[in-house]
Amino acid sequence: MLLSRRQRWRRWRRSRPFWGGLFAILAGAWICVLPLAPLKVMLQQGVAGIPSVLMGIVMVVLGLTAWFSPSQRALAGVLTTLIATAALVLSNLGGFLIGTLLGILGGGLMFAWQPYAAQRAGGAAPAADPAPPRDASPPPTPHSDPQGAQP
């Protein structure tokens, strides 16, 4: 059975922290845009623009990492949040607060994302733990510790 492009896109998007990665990419791009002004403005800024560009590039890479390697989402989320917070101090108030806020939101979404649990064959949700049988033996007393430790 062939799936349409829309169904394949939807399946791909739902199988990874898509929105967290997108916000991280947007934050990195926003933080990079300000120091990458025309050359005349960039020369006036000097070396102060280098941390902005580097932090922006790292945030874009972390967003792409969340998309293409969802197993690394927790590390990418934490690093994105830390870099976005550091950009507040090191990079024009984190892209005039917009880049920092997008980065913190994206990092949080990446860290909080969980993959879908596999459903059972019947399609029903997993049941809660069943009650113990009535004829089960009582729990051991503290005196019956096999290693001989006493309470």
Side-chain angles (χ1 to χ4, degrees), residues 11-22:
R11 180 180 291 168
W12 182 84
R13 189 187 68 203
R14 290 182 178 173
S15 67
R16 57 204 73 244
F18 177 77
W19 293 108
L22 180 65

Side-chain angles (χ1 to χ4, degrees), residues 72-127:
Q72 302 297 320
R73 63 163 175 80
L75 177 64
V78 170
L79 289 177
T80 300
T81 304
L82 290 174
I83 291 171
T85 306
L88 187 63
V89 177
L90 299 174
S91 170
N92 300 323
L93 288 176
F96 300 119
L97 291 179
I98 295 172
T100 294
L101 293 176
L102 286 173
I104 290 172
L105 177 65
L109 287 173
M110 281 190 277
F111 186 77
W113 179 82
Q114 293 290 319
Y116 286 121
Q119 290 191 357
R120 294 186 178 192

Side-chain angles (χ1 to χ4, degrees), residues 22-121:
L22 180 65
F23 284 132
I25 290 170
L26 290 175
W30 187 262
I31 290 173
C32 274
V33 164
L34 295 177
L36 292 179
L39 187 58
K40 185 177 179 183
V41 176
M42 183 66 175
L43 289 176
Q44 290 174 354
Q45 192 174 23
V47 240
I50 293 174
S52 301
V53 174
L54 290 177
M55 284 189 285
I57 289 172
V58 169
M59 287 178 73
V60 168
V61 168
L62 289 170
L64 292 172
T65 299
W67 278 358
F68 296 109
S69 181
S71 62
Q72 302 297 320
R73 63 163 175 80
L75 177 64
V78 170
L79 289 177
T80 300
T81 304
L82 290 174
I83 291 171
T85 306
L88 187 63
V89 177
L90 299 174
S91 170
N92 300 323
L93 288 176
F96 300 119
L97 291 179
I98 295 172
T100 294
L101 293 176
L102 286 173
I104 290 172
L105 177 65
L109 287 173
M110 281 190 277
F111 186 77
W113 179 82
Q114 293 290 319
Y116 286 121
Q119 290 191 357
R120 294 186 178 192

